[in-house]
Amino acid sequence: MKSDFSHILDTIPPSGIRKFFDLVIGAKDVISLGVGEPDFRTPWAIREDAIFSLEQGKTSYTSNSGLLECREAIVDYLAQRFDAHYDPTTEILLTFGVSEAVDIVLRSILNPGDEVIVPEPSYVCYTPLVQLAGGKVIPLDTTSTQFIPDPDQIARAITPKTKAIILCSPSNPTGRTIPKDTLIQIGKLAQAHDFWIITDEVYAELTYDGPFQSVAALPNLKPSTILLNGFSKAFAMTGWRLGYVCGPPELIARATKIHQYSALCAPITAQYAAIEAVKNCAKDVQAMRDSYKGRRNLFVKRLNEIGLPTALPEGAFYCFPNIRHTGLSSEEFALRLLKEQRVAVVPGYVFGLGGEGHIRCCYATGLEELKEALTRIKKFMKSLQ
Amino acid sequence: MNPIDAQVLALVTANARMSSDDIADQLQISVAQVEILLKSLETQGVIVQYTTVVDEKKLPQRSGKIKALIEVSVRPEKRTGFEAIAKKIAQFNNVVDHYLVSGGYDFLVIVEGDSLEEISSFVSDKLASIDNVRSTATHFIMKKYKEKGILIGQPPKEERLAVSP
């Protein structure tokens, strides 16, 4: 009996990223473009407030939803920054990063056989978490629309069982941002067919060519929207594990029920840190955004110059070069680049449909390392000719 | 100042050795444009000098400079106020920074020398002896934690996971 593990779990393959991580970990003198996190430390003002909370002895559990003071600070920030309006008492729940938020939201809304549309390539956790929640993923390949979800394609995928669509904009892994018009069209479909839009906006602050459009701020869409966001990317707080979900009270109440049994509450120190982050750190965020933007411009331009066609991504800190013309699969490309030139990238296939033929490069690394990585990639490309 | 000028200035302020090529690509402008901009900022005197932040602790013993911060109280002069005295003080090679400040004294003068003796004799022979300098208070700098916005002696950044989702 003990050898009979969860059947659903056993059908889910381990993350392709994990496999690659194990290969990189043993290698020496590697420049990694494979990370998924900022290269900044958390701004000192935030760390200092966390330390102060510890000195004050703030080490207990908080309410399941999180400290009211923190929830209030976050909804004020969302209102001011993105024009998304939520009630701090009934419409927000603090979670262990956006990862937990995705999990409990899916478990709150799905029944066996319910379908969730996932435009791909996409972040790696959506599909397994839908499956674990008993749902069925309907993946859509967005290659033909340059990785922007296509409302017509979505319309064709809708069935009576469609329960939700998961959007991630700016996107991990492509860095693409979904234009407002497209969001409005997807919103109309969600209203007409009565399904949820789960919008992962964790990279919202890292949008470089204009203001960010939150789904929750679009007219009439709030009742259909489940907004996910967190502190990891915008405030360089990956290790703090703090995210949040905002949505209608009936959804938040259900997500809170799971959260209270499986997590109890988000870490209190991170919650105190978060209050300082949303209240007083806009300048730090701006400085980090400017720095990423400069690196994006330089890195993407030079990738194109050395023969890797790469669209300029509007946000996040990833770009998604096309490697199809090399004749290598994304896995072969990544493995050989690691072995022959000691540059780590993530093969595109791990991100689902449309990912093959691409690699994900994260440019949140020092300018000198980026330039050295470009030199090495250039050598690698030459060796393929 | 227009935004591009400000961005070029921000990049060279953070790293004076950044190549025009790298500046151009980060700001999506041409190399020629960067060079014209820098030249013009230099000619206008906006960019006065490109300098380097040094951690003297890392230098071989005794080759590092000794620094002191001196509070100087003066008697302003008729017509020229603080200006004439300031000009006299600022000209000395030992003086690396010189500010007029509000508060309990008038000038904050930062001086540099090869030894304690050099600085002491500078203060007594040159600075305190200037007409209308009423008093000085010298603070030798014992340890440098931050200079020009840069933390000195910062531990290396912790390793991130090499590959993560």
Side-chain angles (χ1 to χ4, degrees):
Chain A
M1 195 63 194
K2 264 165 51 212
S3 60
D4 187 31
F5 288 96
S6 159
H7 295 174
I8 298 185
L9 188 58
D10 282 351
T11 62
I12 295 173
S15 164
I17 287 195
R18 183 76 225 177
K19 184 173 149 195
F20 210 69
F21 173 77
D22 292 337
L23 284 171
V24 175
I25 208 77
K28 285 227 158 58
D29 182 31
V30 169
I31 296 181
S32 182
L33 309 177
V35 292
E37 62 179 321
D39 64 336
F40 294 100
R41 291 195 172 112
T42 306
W44 173 247
I46 298 174
R47 287 186 273 157
E48 205 272 334
D49 260 37
I51 294 165
F52 181 68
S53 78
L54 290 170
E55 284 174 351
Q56 298 286 100
K58 310 278 193 193
T59 58
S60 59
Y61 293 129
T62 70
S63 77
N64 296 133
S65 330
L67 297 164
L68 181 61
E69 189 189 353
C70 185
R71 283 179 280 145
E72 284 172 342
I74 292 171
V75 297
D76 284 351
Y77 157 83
L78 287 174
Q80 281 171 24
R81 192 77 185 86
F82 303 119
D83 197 26
H85 301 271
Y86 288 99
D87 179 339
T89 60
T90 57
E91 296 183 327
I92 178 170
L93 166 67
L94 307 191
T95 56
F96 276 80
V98 175
S99 306
E100 187 209 350
V102 174
D103 182 30
I104 63 178
V105 160
L106 290 168
R107 286 200 274 159
S108 299
I109 63 171
L110 292 181
N111 286 305
D114 281 352
E115 292 175 0
V116 178
I117 297 172
V118 180
E120 291 185 344
S122 75
Y123 182 55
V124 295
C125 87
Y126 304 143
T127 292
L129 291 178
V130 168
Q131 291 166 340
L132 283 171
K136 184 179 169 202
V137 174
I138 308 297
L140 299 184
D141 184 347
T142 58
T143 313
S144 64
T145 46
Q146 288 77 50
F147 307 124
I148 301 291
D150 171 17
D152 294 333
Q153 190 187 20
I154 293 167
R156 289 194 296 273
I158 294 168
T159 74
K161 289 190 168 177
T162 303
K163 186 54 88 52
I165 184 169
I166 304 180
L167 303 178
C168 179
S169 171
S171 155
N172 179 1
T174 67
R176 296 304 311 269
T177 297
I178 307 173
K180 185 176 178 181
D181 290 348
T182 307
L183 291 175
I184 290 172
Q185 290 180 57
I186 297 172
K188 284 186 182 144
L189 292 171
Q191 287 174 308
H193 299 275
D194 195 30
F195 61 81
W196 295 101
I197 300 178
I198 301 171
T199 176
D200 179 349
E201 300 185 357
V202 75
Y203 292 100
E205 286 281 12
L206 306 183
T207 302
Y208 305 117
D209 306 308
F212 174 74
Q213 175 63 55
S214 172
V215 176
L218 289 169
N220 310 321
L221 269 191
K222 193 182 153 191
S224 309
T225 300
I226 302 173
L227 169 69
L228 312 179
N229 205 332
F231 290 82
S232 296
K233 318 294 178 177
F235 299 95
M237 291 176 70
T238 46
W240 299 75
R241 308 310 305 128
L242 191 67
Y244 49 92
V245 44
C246 294
E250 64 274 19
L251 177 271
I252 296 298
R254 286 172 173 84
T256 306
K257 202 195 278 184
I258 306 173
H259 178 73
Q260 75 181 1
Y261 290 125
S262 64
L264 220 162
C265 67
I268 186 171
T269 311
Q271 295 188 45
Y272 278 108
I275 296 170
E276 173 67 10
V278 289
K279 281 192 168 167
N280 296 319
C281 294
K283 272 193 180 171
D284 297 87
V285 174
Q286 178 68 45
M288 291 191 271
R289 179 166 45 239
D290 289 347
S291 164
Y292 293 135
K293 182 180 178 178
R295 288 182 271 175
R296 172 198 70 158
N297 294 344
L298 179 143
F299 189 63
V300 171
K301 175 172 183 267
R302 295 189 187 176
L303 279 174
N304 281 295
E305 284 168 359
I306 62 178
L308 282 176
T310 310
L312 188 71
E314 299 90 347
F317 36 54
Y318 308 107
C319 59
F320 209 54
N322 187 325
I323 53 129
R324 206 160 273 136
H325 62 292
T326 62
L328 300 177
S329 72
S330 63
E331 188 171 25
E332 284 167 340
F333 188 98
L335 285 173
R336 282 187 55 187
L337 181 61
L338 176 64
K339 208 172 138 218
E340 294 168 26
Q341 291 296 336
R342 303 175 321 284
V343 175
V345 297
V346 180
Y349 82 92
V350 309
F351 302 102
L353 296 180
E356 186 46 58
H358 298 81
I359 50 171
R360 187 192 76 175
C361 300
C362 172
Y363 52 80
T365 198
L367 200 62
E368 293 311 309
E369 285 81 37
L370 283 179
K371 284 159 64 183
E372 175 60 23
L374 285 160
T375 307
R376 294 183 188 184
I377 295 171
K378 190 176 177 182
K379 275 191 210 155
F380 179 66
M381 294 296 291
K382 276 222 165 117
S383 76
L384 294 178
Q385 281 164 8
Chain B
M1 189 174 219
N2 80 47
I4 290 287
D5 285 18
Q7 288 174 57
V8 170
L9 194 55
L11 289 177
V12 292
T13 304
N15 177 5
R17 296 194 62 192
M18 189 174 281
S19 69
S20 299
D21 221 19
D22 289 356
I23 295 171
D25 282 356
Q26 289 184 81
L27 301 180
Q28 298 178 303
I29 56 179
S30 71
V31 175
Q33 208 179 335
V34 172
E35 298 198 326
I36 290 166
L37 267 174
L38 283 173
K39 188 50 87 189
S40 130
L41 289 168
E42 288 162 16
T43 326
Q44 291 167 48
V46 175
I47 294 175
V48 182
Q49 185 96 14
Y50 300 95
T51 66
T52 307
V53 176
V54 174
D55 184 357
E56 284 88 359
K57 274 233 138 101
K58 301 265 167 72
L59 289 170
Q61 265 208 326
R62 292 185 166 271
S63 62
K65 294 273 186 190
I66 307 253
K67 236 181 187 184
L69 186 155
I70 306 171
E71 300 171 2
V72 183
S73 293
V74 300
R75 194 175 297 108
E77 291 171 355
K78 192 149 175 91
R79 280 195 278 278
T80 55
F82 291 107
E83 294 308 301
I85 316 168
K87 273 184 189 147
K88 277 186 204 164
I89 296 174
Q91 305 261 2
F92 288 108
N93 288 337
N94 289 98
V95 174
V96 290
D97 296 293
H98 182 193
Y99 310 99
L100 176 66
V101 296
S102 62
Y105 53 94
D106 304 303
F107 293 133
L108 174 63
V109 180
I110 297 172
V111 298
E112 221 173 53
D114 291 330
S115 63
L116 291 178
E117 294 73 26
E118 183 182 336
I119 290 178
S120 304
S121 71
F122 169 77
V123 174
S124 55
D125 297 352
K126 306 283 194 255
L127 192 59
S129 56
I130 294 175
D131 280 348
N132 290 327
V133 168
R134 290 190 302 163
S135 69
T136 63
T138 303
H139 309 272
F140 283 100
I141 287 171
M142 299 195 289
K143 188 171 178 184
K144 186 153 90 179
Y145 296 98
K146 194 175 191 180
E147 194 167 281
K148 296 190 173 169
I150 296 160
L151 289 165
I152 307 289
Q154 184 78 335
K157 281 197 178 178
E158 71 277 28
E159 290 276 313
R160 292 181 292 173
L161 293 177
V163 179
S164 55

